[in-house]
Amino acid sequence: MGFSSIELLLQSPKTQIPNHLTFCKALKLLGFVVIQAIEALESFYLKEKLHEFDPHVGETACQIRAYKTLLLALAVESKKTTAAKKIAELRPINEKIKKDLAYYSKVENTSNARGLIPTTLEKFILENNYDYFLDDDDTYLLFSKILTIYKCPDDKKHSGVNIKKIMSDLDLSREGATRLSTFFQKKLSEMSCQFMVAIEKQLLSSTREKSIIENFIFRDDNAREVMPCFLSMKIILAHMYFSRISLIIAINRELKGKVIDKLCLPFYPDHSGKFRFSPNLKKPVYYIIEGTTEVDPNSPENKEEFINRFSKLDIEEIILLNEAVHPQFSGKILEPLRINPFGFLSKNASINPYQSLENELLSLQTEAVTRGCTHENNALFYIEHIFCGRMADTFSVTAEAQLKMDQQEDLLLTD
């Protein structure tokens, strides 16, 4: 699979130049994408700046992209040479685009523009050697990098795309910038769902069980492919056991709304099927689940007491409590599935094929409220974001896991 340079653009290959898209505008768009491709490959494979790949796509799927990014990061060494070659291939294309843009900028708005021969976008790309190819993983990183760059700066966790910045950077109208950002979001959401289908098939490869996740892929208000966050997290956790992948619970302990501790507690999948706390665990990259817990002012625990208690809890259960009570979908189209996608889809069936999933979901939703895994009650732990990152600290036996301030940008505050 993979994507050609024309497939990385919003416009149709048959778009008429200059009638519907000027030569300069076409070159600006081409140049933008190829520069972002170069920077994405450099940042991820050569510099390993994982915090630059934490996009906002507008659906409830940060857990999917965090895991996809983690699997790519774990294999980064094997692709450094290939990435360097691809970067070397893209640089001359970028230089040619810049040179040609300078030419068309001088010609297009003058009387000499009459001599420019109309063409299609596809022909323009092929005849001027602007064409190139990215494989699926590199394309995923490209879209991820772009959407990370254009997250709204005032609300990194929950906001949308910074349309004004896209308008400014690419000289687009608001409508054009919105359409472009939606295009990137749709592509990344589709690749995210394809990734989930692939890892589920990997888990089912030695069984006779049929895929479940394929039955729960829908389109939201913006035509993005989406799936229930509870179901996707169950599959991710199962795949983490299968692949022996560790995670970190990054905890902001708050007292009366103020953060008093930032803790990073590492857990690994043991052979009994549980995630176990390991204070001395050291891995190159982690699946990081960040959230908050409110300290009871009437009986406050110190840091060591909290770590001792929290580290003995069932981490998978806490994660699933959060994912169950979280809205399964966003938007109006999927509103009927927002709370319980399993029961709604089978309400007309004589036998509910997803009854066990529905029962588990509803039970965990109730328990999440009472135990403290919601925004309103975070007494236990409330997940705010999931991403891929690294941990340079060495944990002591007493789990002195508080992050240094200079690491927060790359680990805790990269959302």
Side-chain angles (χ1 to χ4, degrees):
M1 295 292 290
F3 292 76
S4 65
S5 54
I6 187 65
E7 293 172 315
L8 297 172
L9 300 177
L10 167 64
Q11 290 76 13
S12 163
K14 304 304 179 184
T15 298
Q16 297 294 309
I17 300 177
N19 293 339
H20 298 121
L21 185 69
T22 67
F23 287 97
C24 284
K25 190 63 67 68
L27 286 166
K28 285 181 181 179
L29 292 171
L30 284 165
F32 169 76
V33 174
V34 75
I35 288 172
Q36 295 305 323
I38 291 170
E39 292 184 355
L41 297 178
E42 281 187 336
S43 292
F44 193 84
Y45 291 113
L46 306 185
K47 298 178 182 178
E48 299 183 39
K49 295 182 177 181
L50 302 181
H51 61 281
E52 295 183 3
F53 299 87
D54 184 25
H56 179 87
V57 181
E59 18 76 296
T60 58
C62 65
Q63 73 277 7
I64 300 175
R65 282 178 289 281
Y67 194 53
K68 168 72 173 178
T69 303
L70 175 66
L71 294 186
L72 291 177
L74 290 173
V76 72
E77 290 298 326
S78 66
K79 203 170 178 183
K80 283 184 180 291
T81 301
T82 304
K85 289 180 179 179
K86 179 58 67 173
I87 292 169
E89 173 193 332
L90 295 176
R91 288 197 188 282
I93 298 174
N94 180 45
E95 291 304 313
K96 188 176 190 310
I97 290 173
K98 289 195 294 184
K99 180 180 178 181
D100 292 351
L101 177 58
Y103 167 75
Y104 282 104
S105 297
K106 293 179 180 179
V107 174
E108 202 161 43
N109 294 318
T110 69
S111 59
N112 294 328
R114 298 173 183 174
L116 298 177
I117 301 173
T119 185
T120 65
L121 180 59
E122 184 175 34
K123 287 183 179 180
F124 184 59
I125 290 174
L126 295 176
E127 290 175 357
N128 288 280
N129 297 317
Y130 304 140
D131 55 311
Y132 58 90
F133 181 84
L134 297 181
D135 66 24
D136 283 344
D137 289 341
D138 291 350
T139 304
Y140 173 87
L141 292 173
L142 166 64
F143 293 144
S144 181
K145 180 79 159 58
I146 290 173
L147 289 171
T148 303
I149 291 172
Y150 289 102
K151 287 194 297 189
C152 284
D154 57 333
D155 185 359
K156 294 181 181 179
K157 288 181 183 176
H158 305 296
S159 63
V161 177
N162 191 336
I163 297 298
K164 288 184 178 180
K165 182 170 173 55
I166 296 178
M167 291 169 62
S168 174
D169 289 354
L170 293 175
D171 189 25
L172 294 174
S173 65
R174 174 170 290 277
E175 180 185 0
T178 301
R179 289 178 61 234
L180 185 62
S181 66
T182 301
F183 169 75
F184 290 136
Q185 288 183 326
K186 286 173 64 177
K187 289 294 184 182
L188 197 57
S189 68
E190 288 168 6
M191 299 184 85
S192 299
C193 288
Q194 290 167 7
F195 166 71
M196 288 304 303
V197 170
I199 66 170
E200 186 198 36
K201 286 182 178 179
Q202 188 178 6
L203 291 170
L204 298 177
S205 61
S206 60
T207 72
R208 294 183 179 180
E209 296 181 32
K210 295 182 179 180
S211 170
I212 295 177
I213 200 70
E214 288 181 302
N215 298 322
F216 289 92
I217 298 175
F218 304 98
R219 295 274 180 179
D220 69 3
D221 295 12
N222 292 308
R224 294 172 297 214
E225 284 194 357
V226 293
M227 58 180 57
C229 57
F230 173 71
L231 181 56
S232 64
M233 181 55 86
K234 283 182 68 69
I235 294 172
I236 288 170
L237 289 171
H239 197 269
M240 291 180 77
Y241 285 131
F242 175 80
S243 303
R244 316 304 299 166
I245 291 175
S246 301
L247 61 83
I248 279 179
I249 303 295
I251 306 170
N252 293 296
R253 293 183 72 220
E254 297 181 349
L255 179 60
K256 297 181 179 180
K258 294 184 178 180
V259 176
I260 60 173
D261 286 313
K262 289 180 178 290
L263 307 175
C264 284
L265 307 184
F267 294 80
Y268 73 97
D270 69 8
H271 294 288
S272 69
K274 294 289 184 180
F275 280 101
R276 301 294 181 186
F277 176 61
S278 178
N280 298 307
L281 185 67
K282 290 186 289 185
K283 298 288 183 180
V285 289
Y286 291 93
Y287 190 70
I288 301 175
I289 301 176
E290 182 189 6
T292 61
T293 182
E294 184 69 24
V295 177
D296 185 351
N298 297 317
S299 55
E301 297 173 299
N302 63 36
K303 183 169 58 179
E304 287 72 24
E305 290 171 336
F306 172 81
I307 292 173
N308 183 56
R309 176 179 64 83
F310 192 90
S311 63
K312 296 175 182 177
L313 298 176
D314 186 332
I315 294 303
E316 180 178 1
E317 181 184 38
I318 293 175
I319 295 170
L320 291 178
L321 283 169
N322 274 271
E323 295 301 317
V325 78
H326 191 284
Q328 300 302 298
F329 298 106
S330 60
K332 294 182 179 180
I333 291 177
L334 298 175
E335 179 64 29
L337 310 180
R338 181 180 175 88
I339 304 300
N340 177 16
F342 308 117
F344 178 84
L345 290 180
S346 55
K347 67 179 182 180
N348 296 321
S350 57
I351 299 176
N352 185 348
Y354 308 110
Q355 188 66 61
S356 61
L357 280 171
E358 181 181 10
N359 292 343
E360 181 183 12
L361 176 69
L362 297 178
S363 175
L364 288 174
Q365 285 174 349
T366 300
E367 191 176 350
V369 173
T370 58
R371 291 185 64 186
C373 293
T374 68
H375 183 267
E376 295 75 20
N377 173 17
N378 61 346
L380 179 56
F381 181 65
Y382 170 65
I383 295 176
E384 293 184 324
H385 190 45
I386 303 175
F387 57 103
C388 171
R390 60 172 46 83
M391 169 60 71
D393 294 86
T394 300
F395 299 108
S396 66
V397 175
T398 58
E400 184 61 45
Q402 186 169 356
L403 288 178
K404 298 176 183 178
M405 292 300 292
D406 61 358
Q407 293 174 318
Q408 290 178 11
E409 180 180 354
D410 287 339
L411 186 60
L412 286 176
L413 301 183
T414 307
D415 311 287

